[in-house]
Amino acid sequence: EVEKISWFKEARFGMFVHWGLYSILGGTYNGRTMPDTALANGKSWYAEWIQQRLEIPNNEYQALVEKFNPSRFNADEWIKEAKNAGMKYFVITAKHHDGFALWDSNVSNYDIAATPLRGRDILGELVDACKKYGLKYGFYYSHWQDWEHPNGAIPYWKPARKSRDFEKYWKEKSLPQVQELIERYDPDLLWFDTWDEEAKELITPARRDELIHLVRKLSSKCLINGRIAMHDPGNEIDFLEMMDNAYPKQLLDKPWQTPATMNHTWAWHSKDFNWKSSGQMLRYLVSNASKGGNYLLNIGPKPDGTLPPPAIRRLREMGAWMLTHGEA
Ligand code: JFZ
């Protein structure tokens, strides 16, 4: 019997995608542009954080649903680029911290069905393309932070919402949406995300296990990453998730991966020109591979649905190297 983790241990290279309402803004709102540094003053300045960092009121940010209209989105083209780069799996933000679902969710109206794309099943199209090209696929799901649901967690520099009932969010949105993702798309992995002090309080071992057991009940193949509870992942997770752009120097005792950016930001930022060279990124890939780890390299597609040209160029350069050195 093949272990469910075996494909992951051999995969080495995957594509990560951050795409959602924040992509429409590309790092700028009302003439204000976010810094193009990943972390400044200990805070995330990533483009997908624009709602919080520029303090955009919920009603203004949520109005972006009317503008999410990626007319040039073509799932086949994205996944073909990943395949040609030598990537073996694909992970996309099904829901990031802003709370917006990139699929038609039954438990929330803050989703793709509220956009001009209603009727299109973006995640389904991507899943079909992954199957066509033989890539494994999974979803980033923000199980802890949710800036739309009145009871979801919000960033650490803000006081907790008054009389927040996290359990309500957990039962009403977080768990049901994870269930939907598994039942509709049968993912090979789920990418959960926690990191700070507040996560310790909210993602208790009991909630962590509740979520893990839900995934296990619904799927016999779906892998779970260590950031489901970075402070205390327990023994049931399938692989470790390094910090963003962090490359371990030693061997680790579980399968692992590094989530990495090509420039500073994850989501599209029109003024972030800090592109790493393909050579640099190949060195990270090889370094991780030599220690049994994977390299999950991120792209932030543009609001029209296309991949940024500097990202495409790097994927193709890396793919050219992979053609001759990628496989034994
Ligand atoms: C998280 C997200 O907030 C971010 O938007 C992106 O999705 C990334 C892959 O994951 O970013 C982090 C994770 C960990 C820390 C900071 C930002 N940390 O430990 O300080």
Side-chain angles (χ1 to χ4, degrees):
E1 196 194 333
V2 186
E3 270 190 307
K4 68 179 169 184
I5 189 74
S6 37
W7 71 264
F8 184 89
K9 288 203 276 196
E10 285 152 25
R12 305 291 180 241
F13 198 18
M15 179 184 280
F16 204 5
V17 161
H18 279 65
W19 201 44
L21 297 183
Y22 39 77
S23 307
I24 298 168
L25 302 179
T28 299
Y29 188 69
N30 276 351
R32 284 194 300 155
T33 296
M34 296 172 79
D36 64 357
T37 49
L39 291 168
N41 311 320
K43 292 169 184 163
S44 303
W45 287 93
Y46 300 137
E48 67 277 11
W49 276 74
I50 192 167
Q51 181 186 0
Q52 285 299 329
R53 302 307 297 137
L54 297 188
E55 301 188 0
I56 305 174
N58 256 337
N59 62 329
E60 286 180 37
Y61 185 82
Q62 289 170 15
L64 290 170
V65 293
E66 304 290 341
K67 296 197 177 143
F68 190 75
N69 196 10
S71 54
R72 298 176 65 195
F73 169 72
N74 183 327
D76 200 88
E77 279 174 17
W78 287 16
I79 305 303
K80 194 161 39 178
E81 290 292 350
K83 173 80 180 176
N84 288 340
M87 292 165 156
K88 302 285 198 272
Y89 61 115
F90 173 81
V91 182
I92 184 168
T93 48
K95 187 197 88 173
H96 204 266
H97 305 330
D98 64 1
F100 174 77
L102 212 46
W103 76 100
D104 185 357
S105 173
N106 289 338
V107 296
S108 169
N109 292 325
Y110 194 37
D111 66 0
I112 195 93
T115 73
L117 274 197
R118 66 184 65 83
R120 281 278 287 281
D121 178 12
I122 291 225
L123 295 190
E125 291 172 26
L126 287 162
V127 164
D128 288 346
C130 285
K131 288 179 178 160
K132 173 176 164 189
Y133 290 105
L135 272 71
K136 302 284 184 184
Y137 58 90
F139 304 117
Y140 174 112
Y141 184 83
S142 180
H143 62 312
W144 158 57
Q145 296 226 18
D146 190 302
W147 305 335
E148 180 255 348
H149 194 288
N151 296 288
I154 54 178
Y156 50 91
W157 62 83
K158 292 199 165 182
R161 287 177 187 170
K162 256 199 170 144
S163 67
R164 178 183 54 203
D165 180 0
F166 186 79
E167 184 63 17
K168 194 163 151 57
Y169 156 73
W170 186 247
K171 286 269 156 50
E172 266 176 12
K173 188 170 181 184
S174 198
L175 296 178
Q177 287 197 328
V178 169
Q179 175 155 0
E180 284 181 355
L181 284 171
I182 297 174
E183 288 179 345
R184 290 209 203 152
Y185 302 111
D186 196 21
D188 297 296
L189 72 83
L190 285 169
W191 208 109
F192 296 111
D193 204 5
T194 57
W195 64 89
D196 80 19
E197 284 301 310
E198 212 200 0
K200 262 190 220 171
E201 271 168 50
L202 298 176
I203 305 300
T204 56
R207 287 206 179 98
R208 175 200 69 200
D209 291 347
E210 188 180 9
L211 179 53
I212 292 176
H213 295 151
L214 176 72
V215 175
R216 301 296 186 222
K217 184 184 77 179
L218 298 169
S219 171
S220 56
K221 70 168 182 179
C222 186
L223 305 177
I224 297 173
N225 72 341
R227 277 204 206 173
I228 190 170
M230 188 124 102
H231 47 282
D232 182 11
N235 294 321
E236 292 186 59
I237 56 154
D238 296 295
F239 63 89
L240 300 170
E241 197 76 59
M242 297 301 107
M243 294 294 282
D244 306 0
N245 295 298
Y247 304 97
K249 301 212 159 42
Q250 72 288 346
L251 297 171
L252 300 173
D253 55 10
K254 261 190 184 291
W256 59 276
Q257 73 181 356
T258 299
T261 54
M262 282 199 185
N263 47 356
H264 278 314
T265 187
W266 299 89
W268 165 244
H269 187 312
S270 68
K271 297 192 166 62
D272 178 355
F273 303 113
N274 305 282
W275 299 94
K276 297 170 187 76
S277 71
S278 307
Q280 177 65 72
M281 293 191 286
L282 283 168
R283 283 189 288 278
Y284 288 139
L285 169 64
V286 170
S287 168
N288 275 12
S290 76
K291 299 173 192 70
N294 293 350
Y295 186 53
L296 184 63
L297 184 57
N298 180 76
I299 291 187
K302 301 213 272 188
D304 69 358
T306 60
L307 306 180
I312 294 181
R313 170 178 171 179
R314 283 161 177 77
L315 282 178
R316 292 182 183 172
E317 286 172 352
M318 295 179 82
W321 185 90
M322 290 290 279
L323 266 185
T324 42
H325 304 273
E327 251 149 296

